Amino acid sequence: MTDATTRSARPAALFRLEGPLSPRPTLTAAAWMAMNARRVRARVLGLSSLALAGPLALRDPGRATKLAWSMLEGMTEDRLVVLGEIYADEHLRPALNPVGVELVERCRDQGQRLVLLSDNLDVLARPIAAPLGFDDVIANAMELDGHARATGELRPPVLGPALGGRPLMGRLAELGVDLRGACAYGSGKEDSVLLGAVALPCAVTPDRELRRMARDLDWPVVEGSH
């Protein structure tokens, strides 16, 4: 039996990075990476895009996410990886939610297949996933041109802040994840579609809207501090 077959045969535990594990929003990471771009022009464009993305996040989160990542246009693939590792090490890992990490460890000890979900970039999510023992990572990636430089666009299909739509379901299907036997962990109302699609949903330190939904649908709620 191949490793891929073995993974797909195990029940999956789906963890949203933003919320259950990390309090850092996606726009924060995009701004940090843009500000650490080597070229002055990239920094100036980054500040302009961030100024537009902030207010837009309230009206159209998906469009705001795309705009935020457009700040990285022209950055090399190697630079993206290095900055992703630095940001994860300095900002994401120290702020990990202990309750979320405990849930990950519990699922791992039970032999479940761990899948990390994020609308952040893969270069930021993978450094968090590896030490926690995740088997798979589903996240966004920058589109690269022929010179391995970021075009400023995310590679489709793009995962928006509201996880659970067709792009995510398609990626899960490609990995052979069976939602009928899976559990999922989310913290915000934007995770409600994902949580409603699995056999065992769980709200981790939920916001007001998800807390209300969990109460109405009798979903488990795990409390903790961010």
Side-chain angles (χ1 to χ4, degrees):
M1 185 178 294
T2 65
D3 290 342
T5 302
T6 301
R7 285 202 305 271
S8 62
R10 291 154 55 199
L14 313 176
F15 282 85
R16 173 75 183 259
L17 173 59
E18 299 79 23
L21 289 170
S22 171
R24 299 278 181 175
T26 299
L27 291 182
T28 301
W32 184 91
M33 292 184 73
M35 288 301 298
N36 282 274
R38 287 177 176 171
R39 295 183 301 140
V40 173
R41 177 175 176 273
R43 294 190 181 193
V44 173
L45 289 176
L47 287 173
S48 301
S49 296
L50 181 62
L52 293 172
L56 185 61
L58 298 175
R59 304 192 308 270
D60 189 343
R63 187 178 170 199
T65 299
K66 291 183 180 181
L67 180 59
W69 291 121
S70 71
M71 297 186 289
L72 305 186
E73 181 181 358
M75 193 177 292
T76 65
E77 183 178 16
D78 290 345
R79 183 66 174 163
L80 287 170
V81 171
V82 169
L83 288 179
E85 291 176 346
I86 293 174
Y87 185 83
D89 187 56
E90 294 183 355
H91 299 282
L92 295 181
R93 193 171 292 115
L96 287 176
N97 182 3
V99 171
V101 172
E102 183 179 344
L103 289 169
V104 170
E105 293 172 346
R106 186 181 305 172
C107 291
R108 185 182 63 223
D109 292 344
Q110 292 174 350
Q112 292 175 279
R113 177 185 180 185
L114 299 178
V115 184
L116 184 64
L117 311 175
S118 177
D119 64 317
N120 226 315
L121 286 186
D122 54 355
V123 294
L124 292 153
R126 292 188 185 283
I128 297 299
L132 290 177
F134 277 90
D135 299 284
D136 301 284
V137 175
I138 296 179
N140 284 318
M142 293 300 301
E143 189 177 70
L144 304 174
D145 62 19
H147 302 286
R149 290 185 178 274
T151 65
E153 299 286 340
L154 294 176
R155 186 185 305 159
V158 176
L159 301 178
L163 288 183
R166 186 175 299 174
L168 175 61
M169 297 308 173
R171 299 276 288 275
L172 289 170
E174 289 174 3
L175 291 176
V177 172
D178 184 3
L179 295 178
R180 295 170 299 180
C183 60
Y185 300 84
S187 293
K189 65 177 182 178
E190 63 273 8
D191 301 323
S192 59
V193 175
L194 170 65
L195 295 179
V198 299
L200 300 170
C202 182
V204 183
T205 57
D207 62 15
R208 183 180 303 175
E209 291 85 352
L210 185 59
R211 186 180 299 278
R212 185 184 304 116
M213 181 176 295
R215 183 178 62 246
D216 293 343
L217 297 175
D218 199 26
W219 290 348
V221 174
V222 176
E223 302 291 358
S225 59
H226 281 317

